[in-house]
């Protein structure tokens, strides 16, 4: 079969970050971008440059750090957005400006308060302005799947005429159904006279759990770019998961007439990195990257797999990087081995001092824990990056008692703007006592939305990774902490969340602001 190339456009750093609480630091974004590059993702949407100075700096840093993937910034169909995106992308080897405007009747009437002709004129103006900066311009019809067909055709034709080389028709609210969404693309490409001058793209949200199915239906109907995120991260129920799309296409070559460039063996490490950085754990039964995805529980299945693996396995775990974690580091591993493994994970060191510091942290962890896995290394680097921040709260130590039949008690020692405090409280459990103790001093008035503990690796020796989600005044943050002692991990996560709340800067949301 003659296969077309399917462009993989990853938007973990942009749409993924729009997931409440999933914000990432500049360093974390660069680390993720490096893994995406290693995975041979074609286009990395690095952010929405105009959203805030921090977003601008992140797009710029990713553009400067990545050489093999095209780097993209989102921009509303506004001159100031487009110019800011272009500025942030200056250092990129290959860049793309992704501009968009809503095209559905409901969005045009209530959000934009604009007539369709004015929307079309603004789209054309935006594409032309973006083309003055780069020859790779993508235009998205926001809420495309709920737009009127004739208007979709008119605006698509005009955007291509104005110089857009990719036309993206998102299912912004996750309302699409595979048969209908796929057919819409076929009809659109058939009706637009200059359709052959652009690549059509899909961008699906998962509100009805159909994001991957809708994206694949679009591919079956001629779409040649899929927009997706690692672990399906994204607004509300998320976006189509990159790993699911890529593996469906690879595994069902008999059905899909396309191929991707993706080096699938990097999927697992990238999935873990995104989960560690965002504090969004991957559910065990998640396809491809969930802990149970390749685990054969039942006796019948195990027997079948042992006799002939294809009886129950349609993919090989090693093809998506499940076994690339076999190399285990420990107390006796040297600096060179640690550095090599970290580089494999996209972690590079700007100086010898930075490497020495990472190695010292590695040794400290290896004293507590026999075997150090990739996830431990990723967590260790995240912690080191956090330690460099000018944080308001810094954890110093804790003394927690929890005896059967007695009320747990916690004393937590931490710095607040450099001044040391020890706070004490009882609680219903040791973690509750520790959080209450912190609040005796911090008085944050934040609501605790989520508290979750995950073992980073296997075994009771594993580090516990805790996520604490706090909300205050409409801002949601995820604090993360890791330690072999889960109460200490919980305290670190709580203080991390307080620091994030404290440093929360205003940031524009690309879709909610309107124009
Ligand atoms: O979901 C959506 O419509 C988007 C666009 C900005 C592409 O994220
Ligand atoms: Zn989206």
């Amino acid at each position: 079969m003659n296969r077309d190339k399917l462009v993989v456009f990853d938007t973990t750093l942009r749409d993924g970050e729009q997931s409440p609480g999933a914000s990432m630091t500049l360093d974390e974004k660069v680390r993720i971008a490096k893994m995406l590059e290693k995975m041979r993702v074609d286009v990395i949407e690095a952010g929405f440059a105009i959203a805030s100075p921090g977003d601008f700096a992140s797009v710029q840093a990713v553009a400067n750090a990545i050489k093999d993937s095209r780097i993209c910034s989102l921009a509303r169909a506004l001159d100031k957005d487009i110019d800011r995106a272009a500025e942030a992308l200056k250092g990129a080897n290959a860049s793309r400006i992704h501009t968009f405007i809503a095209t559905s009747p409901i969005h045009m009437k209530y959000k934009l308060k604009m007539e369709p002709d004015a929307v079309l004129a603004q789209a054309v103006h935006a594409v032309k302005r973006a083309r003055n900066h780069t020859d790779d311009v993508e235009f998205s019809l926001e809420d495309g799947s709920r737009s009127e067909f004739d208007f979709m055709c008119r605006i698509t034709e005009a955007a291509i005429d104005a110089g857009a080389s990719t036309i993206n028709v998102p299912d912004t609210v996750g309302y699409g159904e595979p048969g209908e969404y796929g057919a819409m693309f076929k009809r659109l490409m058939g009706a637009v006279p200059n359709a052959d001058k652009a690549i059509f793209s899909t961008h699906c949200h998962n509100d009805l759990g159909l994001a991957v199915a809708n994206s694949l239906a679009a591919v079956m109907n001629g779409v040649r770019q899929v927009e997706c995120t690692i672990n399906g991260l994204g607004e509300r129920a998320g976006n189509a998961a990159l790993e699911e799309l890529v593996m469906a296409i690879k595994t069902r070559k008999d059905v899909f007439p396309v191929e991707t460039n993706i080096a699938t063996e990097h999927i697992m490490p990238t999935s873990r990195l995104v989960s560690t950085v965002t504090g969004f754990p991957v559910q065990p039964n998640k396809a491809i990257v969930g802990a149970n995805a390749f685990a054969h529980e039942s006796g019948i299945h195990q027997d079948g797999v042992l006799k002939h693996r294809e009886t129950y396995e349609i993919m090989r775990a090693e093809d998506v990087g499940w076994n690339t974690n076999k190399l285990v580091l420990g107390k006796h591993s040297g600096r060179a081995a640690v550095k090599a493994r970290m580089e494999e994970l996209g972690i590079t060191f700007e100086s010898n001092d930075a490497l020495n510091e990472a190695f010292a942290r590695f040794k400290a962890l290896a004293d507590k824990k026999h075997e150090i896995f990739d996830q431990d290394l990723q967590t260790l680097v995240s912690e080191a990056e956090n330690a460099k921040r000018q944080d308001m709260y810094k954890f110093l130590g804790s003394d927690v008692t929890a005896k059967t039949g007695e009320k747990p008690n916690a004393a937590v020692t931490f710095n607040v703007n450099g001044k040391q405090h020890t706070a004490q409280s009882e609680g219903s459990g040791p973690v509750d006592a520790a959080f209450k103790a912190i609040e005796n001093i911090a008085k944050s008035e934040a609501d605790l939305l989520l508290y979750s503990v995950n073992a980073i690796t296997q075994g009771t020796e594993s580090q516990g990774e805790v996520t604490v989600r706090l909300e205050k005044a409409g801002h949601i943050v995820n604090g993360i902490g890791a330690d072999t002692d889960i109460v200490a991990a919980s305290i670190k996560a709580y203080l991390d969340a307080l620091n994030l709340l404290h440093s929360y800067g205003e940031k524009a949301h690309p879709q909610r602001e309107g124009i």
Side-chain angles (χ1 to χ4, degrees):
M1 193 192 295
N2 219 351
R3 292 179 189 283
D4 284 352
K5 159 93 193 286
L6 181 68
V7 176
V8 175
F9 175 116
D10 180 277
T11 182
T12 307
L13 302 180
R14 197 277 297 171
D15 214 324
E17 207 202 20
Q18 283 174 219
S19 195
S23 60
M24 306 167 213
T25 65
L26 183 149
D27 287 336
E28 289 165 346
K29 285 184 183 175
V30 171
R31 263 163 75 203
I32 293 175
K34 284 188 180 159
M35 286 305 287
L36 295 173
E37 179 184 40
K38 205 182 256 259
M39 219 200 274
R40 297 204 294 263
V41 160
D42 300 286
V43 185
I44 299 174
E45 187 162 55
F48 175 46
I50 203 164
S52 71
D55 286 71
F56 179 87
S58 299
V59 176
Q60 196 172 45
V62 171
N64 291 337
I66 302 302
K67 296 291 158 245
D68 298 337
S69 305
R70 188 174 286 279
I71 307 303
C72 169
S73 173
L74 185 69
R76 289 166 300 186
L78 293 173
D79 290 358
K80 59 176 183 179
D81 282 36
I82 291 165
D83 297 349
R84 195 81 176 134
E87 179 73 27
L89 292 168
K90 264 192 184 142
N93 247 3
S95 67
R96 169 178 297 185
I97 295 178
H98 175 193
T99 187
F100 74 99
I101 193 163
T103 55
S104 64
I106 185 167
H107 275 224
M108 290 191 288
K109 183 167 176 198
Y110 294 104
K111 181 173 99 164
L112 300 179
K113 300 184 176 46
M114 284 169 77
E115 291 300 319
D117 282 348
V119 169
L120 188 146
Q122 190 154 336
V124 167
H125 175 83
V127 171
K128 286 188 177 156
R129 188 158 184 116
R131 276 301 303 262
N132 287 336
H133 293 295
T134 170
D135 57 9
D136 190 322
V137 174
E138 170 168 337
F139 173 67
S140 281
L141 296 75
E142 193 196 0
D143 205 17
S145 58
R146 294 194 299 170
S147 301
E148 278 173 359
F149 187 70
D150 287 348
F151 184 58
M152 262 167 68
C153 291
R154 279 211 294 136
I155 199 164
T156 297
E157 184 180 351
I160 297 173
D161 266 347
S165 46
T166 304
I167 296 291
N168 182 39
V169 188
D171 184 27
T172 302
V173 292
Y175 181 72
E177 171 279 322
E180 171 196 83
Y181 185 64
M184 176 207 68
F185 275 105
K186 191 174 208 153
R187 195 166 158 227
L188 181 64
M189 285 183 238
V192 170
N194 52 4
D196 59 321
K197 301 208 167 43
I199 288 182
F200 281 72
S201 165
T202 163
H203 173 117
C204 294
H205 281 269
N206 205 27
D207 300 67
L208 293 173
L210 293 172
V212 169
N214 284 336
S215 305
L216 292 173
V219 169
M220 290 303 280
N221 282 279
V223 156
R224 292 296 176 259
Q225 174 176 286
V226 281
E227 300 197 355
C228 45
T229 57
I230 300 294
N231 299 340
L233 198 68
E235 284 263 27
R236 306 181 308 279
N239 289 61
L242 179 147
E243 61 278 7
E244 295 178 21
L245 286 171
V246 166
M247 290 315 289
I249 283 159
K250 183 170 170 159
T251 308
R252 297 307 308 268
K253 288 192 187 72
D254 54 327
V255 174
F256 297 106
V258 291
E259 62 194 0
T260 73
N261 248 349
I262 298 298
T264 58
E265 67 276 16
H266 297 299
I267 284 178
M268 262 322 290
T270 313
S271 160
R272 285 190 181 127
L273 175 61
V274 169
S275 162
T276 302
V277 157
T278 57
F280 279 52
V282 173
Q283 77 199 51
N285 57 331
K286 162 88 177 61
I288 319 293
V289 292
N292 288 355
F294 292 89
H296 293 277
E297 185 88 52
S298 89
I300 296 174
H301 284 212
Q302 281 178 4
D303 184 51
V305 170
L306 288 178
K307 282 185 184 134
H308 186 76
R309 87 190 270 170
E310 277 88 29
T311 47
Y312 284 98
E313 273 193 12
I314 58 164
M315 296 168 273
R316 296 183 328 158
E318 51 270 40
D319 287 351
V320 293
W322 265 102
N323 298 339
T324 50
N325 197 21
K326 275 279 180 276
L327 176 64
V328 180
L329 300 169
K331 213 180 166 88
H332 302 295
S333 306
R335 193 181 315 257
V338 173
K339 179 170 181 260
R341 191 65 205 143
M342 286 200 170
E343 279 172 357
E344 275 289 297
L345 298 172
I347 303 160
T348 47
F349 301 95
E350 271 152 28
S351 63
N352 240 347
D353 283 354
L355 171 60
N356 289 344
E357 209 234 332
F359 190 61
R361 282 179 178 270
F362 167 82
K363 283 286 184 195
L365 181 61
D367 274 341
K368 292 199 238 167
K369 187 172 185 287
H370 253 75
E371 296 176 317
I372 310 284
F373 296 90
D374 289 353
Q375 299 98 296
D376 292 314
L377 293 180
Q378 283 170 338
T379 308
L380 189 136
V381 170
S382 291
E383 287 209 319
E385 280 168 4
N386 290 351
K388 280 189 251 145
R389 289 188 323 219
Q390 296 298 317
D391 280 341
M392 180 164 176
Y393 300 100
K394 274 204 194 306
F395 175 58
L396 297 174
S398 60
D399 181 352
V400 181
T401 46
K403 285 192 191 144
T404 313
E406 283 179 26
K407 249 200 166 316
N409 194 301
V412 184
T413 306
F414 56 109
N415 271 350
V416 184
N417 285 330
K419 188 163 175 259
Q420 188 170 325
H421 295 263
T422 297
Q424 201 225 311
S425 177
E426 290 188 335
S428 59
V431 172
D432 184 51
F435 288 4
K436 285 189 169 130
I438 295 170
E439 276 302 326
N440 282 342
I441 303 269
K443 302 194 184 342
S444 73
E445 290 173 16
D447 289 327
L448 178 67
L449 300 187
L450 174 107
Y451 168 76
S452 89
V453 189
N454 275 288
I456 296 186
T457 51
Q458 290 125 355
T460 50
E461 205 201 27
S462 163
Q463 293 196 89
E465 185 176 59
V466 174
T467 303
V468 166
R469 185 174 302 164
L470 295 181
E471 179 179 14
K472 189 175 174 186
H475 295 323
I476 297 179
V477 294
N478 274 341
I480 298 156
D483 204 291
T484 45
D485 166 354
I486 57 167
V487 181
S490 305
I491 296 171
K492 289 182 188 174
Y494 198 89
L495 293 176
D496 188 40
L498 289 181
N499 283 323
L500 292 170
L501 268 186
H502 180 71
S503 64
Y504 203 98
E506 281 318 310
K507 166 175 166 126
H509 186 289
Q511 290 158 275
R512 259 170 245 143
E513 317 289 313
I515 285 280

